[in-house]
Amino acid sequence: MKLKSPLIVLLVFVLAVLFFGWVHDRRINEGFATIRADATEDSVRGLLGKPSSINSSCAAYDTQLTVNCDHVLVYRSAFGPLKPSYWLVFVDAKGLTKATSRQSKP
């Protein structure tokens, strides 16, 4: 019986991690779909939360915006190690959204 208890705890832990990862990605995906051109960076952060990273080069994961871009907000999938997915929001110097992109690696 001692062996079953750690196994059950491990199973519950793995299921909880998968569930919270799914909730995280679903929240970002749903919010991402509502972002419109010229939305403020603050409204994007309100929808999607804190970005995983910010790239000042306006390039991320084989996608680049060269016109009207100051930085790109990068949101990574919780399942990135298994299936890399990224949501990108390109922002101009005034803090307004100029473009969005979703990247998935096979």
Side-chain angles (χ1 to χ4, degrees), residues 29-106:
N29 200 43
E30 287 176 357
F32 187 79
T34 66
I35 297 172
R36 300 291 174 241
D38 293 329
T40 65
E41 184 173 346
D42 288 339
S43 68
V44 170
R45 288 176 183 249
L47 283 170
L48 306 182
K50 182 181 176 186
S52 304
S53 64
I54 300 173
N55 294 0
S56 60
S57 66
C58 287
Y61 305 101
D62 300 329
T63 302
Q64 183 171 4
L65 186 66
T66 57
V67 180
N68 280 342
C69 184
D70 183 65
H71 58 280
V72 59
L73 306 175
V74 179
Y75 293 88
R76 289 186 188 96
S77 170
F79 300 107
L82 301 174
K83 184 180 180 218
S85 294
Y86 309 92
W87 294 269
L88 310 175
V89 181
F90 296 89
V91 180
D92 70 4
K94 295 177 184 175
L96 300 176
T97 302
K98 292 301 162 190
T100 60
S101 178
R102 175 147 190 212
Q103 302 297 318
S104 295
K105 305 287 182 182

